[in-house]
Amino acid sequence: MKQGLVLEGGAMRGLFTAGILDVLMEAGVTFDGVIGVSAGAAFGANYKSGQAGRVLRYNLRFAKDKRFCSLRSLLKTGDLYGGEFCYHTLPEKLDLMDAETYNSSPMKFYCVCTDADTAAPVYHDLDRLDHDSLEWVRASASMQAVSKPVVIEGRRLLDGGIADPVPVDFFRAIGYRRPVVILTQPKGYRKKPQAGMPVLKQLLKEYPAIAEGLANRHELYNRIMDKIDALEEQGEIFVMRPASRIKAGRTEHDRSVIREVYLEGRKAAEAYLPQLQAFLQETA
């Protein structure tokens, strides 16, 4: 049975995930395949490249850099998180991702995007770390209304969390029958209807399917959470999640908060590790 890992998004809540992944790397825990959504893809790719500590390092280094995340970036480039800076300048020049390790790893790594014209999920196998694959990661993390769609292979793509925020069903369908899931919200969390929909519909008038997807996203997310709770109860998946709501949201410039959320992930991973290793031994 293939062992798989599913990474929820959540913008800077993904630092919790980064903390967990670093502990797993240090403990030598690996998977046959990983799938990440939005921040889960952006931060999770470092798991396949074996770069423990990199996510925390560059988030601390560039927390206040206006090229990284700022209103100026949004006004100047159309992206709150600078697309060229975050997904090319940073990993290709300033804090290099280890392409050699990534490309030689037998681990599969997938990301999830949303088709901006249909709001359907798009799943992509990032088999190599290069400029094109980083564009896929950028697309997966391109939040609606504060990012331009990323055009790849003729499709306009946005944040994967709109169409499939926690792709457990997809991963189980392709053979990862008892996956491990890292969530960035505590147990019992359910999403409320999207606030400000009239304004969002105006901002997204070129993408009516995305606006419709956002209007219904809470129902989709909550159904997925109900299914995850049921599968967890049945012992069919293993879930790691924060004990309480994480402070960080879409953006975070306070280095002390960045470090705190990351350390919360590490602490959770250390507590989960014995149970996780037992679960993986059962599925081996």
Side-chain angles (χ1 to χ4, degrees), residues 49-60:
S49 64
Q51 292 177 276
R54 180 176 178 271
V55 172
L56 177 64
R57 182 175 65 241
Y58 77 70
N59 274 282
L60 290 174

Side-chain angles (χ1 to χ4, degrees), residues 35-93:
I35 188 166
V37 182
S38 193
F43 294 167
N46 295 273
Y47 189 58
K48 182 172 166 67
S49 64
Q51 292 177 276
R54 180 176 178 271
V55 172
L56 177 64
R57 182 175 65 241
Y58 77 70
N59 274 282
L60 290 174
R61 178 179 175 186
F62 297 108
K64 299 181 184 296
D65 192 314
K66 296 189 183 302
R67 297 171 297 172
F68 185 65
C69 175
S70 68
L71 179 60
R72 188 178 81 174
S73 174
L74 178 61
L75 295 174
K76 186 176 179 179
T77 71
D79 294 308
L80 181 65
Y81 284 89
E84 183 64 28
F85 181 80
C86 292
Y87 297 98
H88 297 293
T89 303
L90 198 163
E92 296 172 353
K93 297 178 181 178

Side-chain angles (χ1 to χ4, degrees), residues 118-119 162 197 201 204 207-218:
T118 66
I162 301 169
M197 275 308 304
K201 284 183 178 180
L204 296 168
Y207 312 103
I210 292 295
E212 184 69 17
L214 289 172
N216 299 320
R217 181 168 59 169
H218 64 291

Side-chain angles (χ1 to χ4, degrees), residues 3-19:
Q3 295 181 332
L5 177 64
V6 180
L7 308 177
E8 184 182 15
M12 294 301 280
R13 292 198 311 274
L15 288 161
F16 173 83
T17 301

